[in-house]
Amino acid sequence: MNKSTQQYTIKNTLGMFDFIKGLIMIIVMVSHTYGLYESIDYNNKPLLVIFAFLELFGEVAMPVLFILSGYGFRKTTFSKSVKKQCKTLLFPYVITMFIACIAHLIAVFLLYGGARYSITQTARVAAGAVLGLIDDTTYFGIELKKCGPAWFLLALALGNIIFNQLLQHFKGKKLLVISALIACVGWALTRGPIIPWAIPQAMIATFYLCIGYMAKKSKLFMQEMPKVKRNAIMIALFILTIAVINMGGGFNMALNMYAFGPVSIIVMGGFSLVVIYLFLNLNRFKNKFVDFNRRIGRQSLYVLCAHTIEIVAAGFYIQYDFAMSWTGNLMARSLIIIVVRIVVVLVATFVFVRLKKYFLRNR
């Protein structure tokens, strides 16, 4: 049989999700570009398609990451679960926000001057970091700043602890139903004021962790399915997702946007499986771009932390000032911000990884 006509088989390997994780990290950085959607030329159809892709896959990015985390989940005791989350997620969060606050203090002083102003603004950032706020919030008349993309680490850590406890008592369909109910409670909590430590997001994440866990148990991605049935399911979920997003105003866990509430959460879970399956099939390709993207995916935790430091410390201020002073083409403005951000974040990430390996090897 000709190699080009052979059906590609998805294999359960250690780095099977590196490609999609790398792409999500790029999309996350691009989506945080100030004034990005203002620069869209609606008469430029190729560009419009690219933005539509970013919009759709940007909205599904967080559910996909939670599902991928659930795919490799292993049940353990409560104490071991807490210790693991502290070591792998909460400790990086604390270090990331500490560095971000120090860098923020220095950056604001250099950009705008005034020790008092710099300290006041940094105190608001620090308070938001301690409380793990997903958005700028006012408590008792005091404005506190959000912790940036690092909210994902808090939600994942707490979601893992909750899901681990569910595994002690439930399995199969009961596990899925209970996880969905917890997600509904999490959604209900987003209807009020911002709750600290990304608790509602963690409860919603529990449902996505369960989806990933059950996908692994059922060998969902490795199963052979009739092509017609598989394509019909994928197309139906794609259309349903587009309808839910467009009719209800979008889906964004960081902004507490859930177009149709629990329905959106469930639909996005199904569509996330489609996205993951599609990108698993792209693992057949090997070139420099794909390999580099996989490299980003392998270091996705550090990329997220580096991006958080960049955007919390000075990234927002710098890109805002740059955007306000720009008088040229808006698309060119956005591209400059995107390229500079990606280069800075990836260079910082790879330098850190290189230094970490060096010190671990020579200690």
Side-chain angles (χ1 to χ4, degrees):
M1 182 183 293
N2 190 306
K3 188 175 181 179
S4 62
T5 63
Q6 291 180 356
Q7 183 177 0
Y8 177 75
T9 302
I10 297 174
K11 297 179 181 179
N12 188 16
T13 60
L14 185 63
M16 62 189 293
F17 299 124
D18 287 345
F19 182 78
I20 187 172
K21 288 194 293 184
L23 183 62
I24 287 176
M25 289 300 103
I26 297 296
I27 290 176
V28 166
M29 287 188 279
V30 171
S31 66
H32 290 154
T33 302
Y34 180 82
L36 177 63
Y37 295 101
E38 297 174 3
S39 64
I40 300 177
D41 180 2
Y42 290 95
N43 294 319
N44 188 329
K45 292 184 179 180
L47 191 60
L48 198 60
V49 170
I50 294 174
F51 273 100
F53 171 85
L54 290 174
E55 178 70 13
L56 178 60
F57 287 91
E59 295 195 359
V60 79
M62 293 302 105
V64 166
L65 288 179
F66 285 122
I67 288 174
L68 297 184
S69 298
Y71 195 85
F73 195 93
R74 293 185 179 182
K75 181 174 70 173
T76 185
T77 63
F78 176 75
S79 60
K80 287 183 178 180
S81 176
V82 172
K83 289 179 182 178
K84 181 179 180 181
Q85 304 316 312
C86 288
K87 180 180 179 181
T88 60
L89 295 172
L90 297 182
F91 181 69
Y93 174 83
V94 171
I95 296 299
T96 296
M97 298 315 301
F98 176 78
I99 296 174
C101 288
I102 298 299
H104 180 275
L105 178 64
I106 298 172
V108 172
F109 182 80
L110 293 177
L111 289 171
Y112 306 113
R116 183 174 180 179
Y117 177 77
S118 303
I119 293 172
T120 300
Q121 293 301 312
T122 302
R124 291 175 176 174
V125 172
V130 171
L131 293 174
L133 300 178
I134 66 167
D135 202 359
D136 295 347
T137 309
T138 300
Y139 286 145
F140 306 107
I142 302 174
E143 182 186 3
L144 305 181
K145 298 296 183 179
K146 57 189 174 185
C147 65
W151 69 265
F152 175 82
L153 304 181
L154 294 176
L156 180 57
L158 183 56
N160 280 336
I161 293 172
I162 295 173
F163 184 62
N164 184 71
Q165 289 309 106
L166 293 181
L167 284 176
Q168 311 297 329
H169 307 286
F170 305 100
K171 60 182 180 179
K173 293 182 179 179
K174 288 184 178 180
L175 178 65
L176 184 62
V177 171
I178 295 298
S179 297
L181 291 175
I182 291 175
C184 290
V185 174
W187 167 80
L189 292 176
T190 66
R191 301 303 88 193
I194 298 295
I195 296 178
W197 306 299
I199 292 175
Q201 286 70 28
M203 298 176 76
I204 294 171
T206 302
F207 174 64
Y208 294 133
L209 289 167
C210 182
I211 291 178
Y213 180 81
M214 296 186 72
K216 173 71 175 292
K217 289 292 183 182
S218 63
K219 298 182 179 180
L220 179 65
F221 299 126
M222 265 60 71
Q223 284 184 4
E224 293 292 338
M225 183 182 295
K227 190 174 182 179
V228 174
K229 180 180 179 181
R230 181 190 66 212
N231 291 343
I233 292 174
M234 291 171 62
I235 292 172
L237 282 170
F238 180 79
I239 294 173
L240 183 59
T241 302
I242 295 297
V244 166
I245 290 175
N246 288 335
M247 292 173 60
F251 180 97
N252 193 317
M253 293 182 71
L255 298 178
N256 285 333
M257 291 174 56
Y258 304 96
F260 289 101
V263 173
S264 300
I265 294 171
I266 294 171
V267 169
M268 199 59 71
F271 183 61
S272 295
L273 292 175
V274 172
V275 171
I276 293 170
Y277 177 78
L278 289 174
F279 277 92
L280 283 175
N281 278 278
L282 293 179
N283 280 333
R284 73 182 72 191
F285 300 109
K286 297 184 183 297
N287 54 57
K288 290 184 178 180
F289 169 76
V290 172
D291 291 341
F292 184 70
N293 204 57
R294 289 195 182 102
R295 185 182 175 191
I296 296 173
R298 286 192 292 272
Q299 309 300 339
S300 56
L301 172 62
Y302 299 129
V303 173
L304 186 67
C305 291
H307 177 43
T308 297
I309 294 171
E310 169 263 317
I311 198 170
V312 171
F316 176 79
Y317 301 113
I318 293 174
Q319 70 171 336
Y320 177 81
D321 291 344
F322 175 75
M324 290 298 98
S325 63
W326 181 264
T327 57
N329 181 272
L330 294 181
M331 192 66 243
R333 181 193 72 183
S334 293
L335 287 175
I336 291 172
I337 295 174
I338 289 168
V339 171
V340 171
R341 162 166 287 150
I342 291 176
V343 170
V344 169
V345 170
L346 293 185
V347 167
T349 299
F350 294 140
V351 168
F352 171 78
V353 171
R354 182 70 64 86
L355 290 174
K356 180 183 176 183
K357 289 181 179 179
Y358 173 80
F359 285 113
L360 288 177
R361 189 168 56 244
N362 295 280
R363 67 176 181 178

